[in-house]
Amino acid sequence: MAFNGNDTDIGLPPNGSYLYRFVAPPDERTRTWPLVESPWNVAAVLATYLLMVRFGPKWAARYKPMQLRVPLFLHSLAMALLNAHIFLELFTASRALGYSYACQPCRVSYSPHEMRITAALWWFFISKVFEFADTAFFILRHKWRQLTFLHVYHHSSMFFLTWAAARWMPSGSTFLPGMINSFIHIIMYGYYAASSLGPRIQRFLWWKRYLTGLQLVQFGYGFIWGAQALIRKCEVSYWALITASVYMLPFLYLFGKFYRNSYGPKAGSKKAM
């Protein structure tokens, strides 16, 4: 993709920024990028994923569970490296532009640092496609208990929301949730890579509960950030802020329930029996 090095904002309305809505024209920078240009692409990928969730376990149950240690390790390592790239691009480019962590309007600019953020947020969206492999591994390994509503809802909804961000708001305040989420995914996929190496390594992975706790902090912070942006009347799409804030609530509940069931007092008493 060839980027224009122009530092000026392009095509801005009189107030200097876009207040995007889903009926508005897509961002000119990403409009033709792979998987972004048509909602039918997103619908087809998402439908394929949900069909895999629905019928994959019935097909896999006919065969013995697979170990897949090498594919698991390679996929997890690749995902950790991809998320590290996304995090570093978002962090360094946003710092170079002096982005605000409280409120940063989305401006259509082709400056080099803005295009770094735009490209990183596109890769952030594409990474959600690669994350569908997590579900495929669960199915092939017969890990039925891990194929939960939380898992499927998280993967499918994040895929749609990151597509919407890449299509309409591929810069501005969108950088912050992308940067935080990619940082957590570096740790998460690092854990998965180490876990796939077998029992000798798994005994050192006692810190899994803190990873879940970190995810809870992420969702809590996301809700608080969206709320403060709304209160301050941040120059970002009202509907995007509402969606971002409300979206965090079911995750706070579902991940909180998972944490309580996995690491709470009742979980400890069950392990002791």
Side-chain angles (χ1 to χ4, degrees), residues 62-188:
R62 302 175 185 176
Y63 307 94
K64 293 181 179 180
M66 301 180 183
Q67 293 296 320
L68 300 175
R69 284 186 178 178
V70 173
L72 267 172
F73 175 78
L74 294 176
H75 174 261
S76 299
L77 180 61
M79 290 299 293
L81 292 174
L82 175 58
N83 278 280
H85 168 73
I86 294 168
F87 171 78
L88 288 172
E89 283 293 282
L90 293 175
F91 178 74
T92 56
S94 64
R95 288 292 299 272
L97 291 167
Y99 263 24
S100 167
Y101 283 75
C103 173
Q104 180 63 45
C106 179
R107 304 181 185 280
V108 181
S109 169
Y110 287 85
S111 72
H113 289 308
E114 286 282 358
M115 292 310 299
R116 286 174 61 199
I117 290 175
T118 298
L121 288 173
W122 178 80
W123 275 112
F124 184 59
F125 157 59
I126 293 300
S127 74
K128 303 308 172 187
V129 182
F130 298 152
E131 286 180 16
F132 288 156
D134 297 345
T135 309
F137 285 134
F138 286 161
I139 292 171
L140 294 174
R141 298 168 67 216
H142 292 193
K143 301 293 184 179
W144 314 127
R145 291 183 60 186
Q146 293 175 290
L147 199 62
T148 60
F149 170 79
L150 171 59
H151 174 85
V152 176
Y153 172 67
H154 178 59
H155 278 62
S156 55
S157 60
M158 281 295 291
F159 171 66
F160 175 78
L161 288 178
T162 53
W163 167 75
R167 182 173 171 84
W168 282 288
M169 293 182 63
S171 62
S173 284
T174 310
F175 90 97
L176 188 58
M179 188 173 72
I180 294 173
N181 188 256
S182 59
F183 175 76
I184 291 176
H185 277 64
I186 297 170
I187 303 172
M188 185 181 79

Side-chain angles (χ1 to χ4, degrees), residues 1-55:
M1 300 174 186
F3 298 144
N4 188 337
N6 194 340
D7 286 330
T8 60
D9 290 341
I10 294 183
L12 293 177
N15 67 356
S17 70
Y18 277 105
L19 297 182
Y20 289 88
R21 295 183 180 177
F22 291 123
V23 295
D27 192 290
E28 285 298 318
R29 293 168 293 183
T30 58
R31 183 174 57 84
T32 60
W33 289 14
L35 284 184
V36 175
E37 57 184 336
S38 172
W40 295 110
N41 294 334
V42 176
V45 173
L46 188 55
T48 302
Y49 173 71
L50 294 176
L51 286 172
M52 177 183 70
V53 172
R54 176 68 178 83
F55 298 105

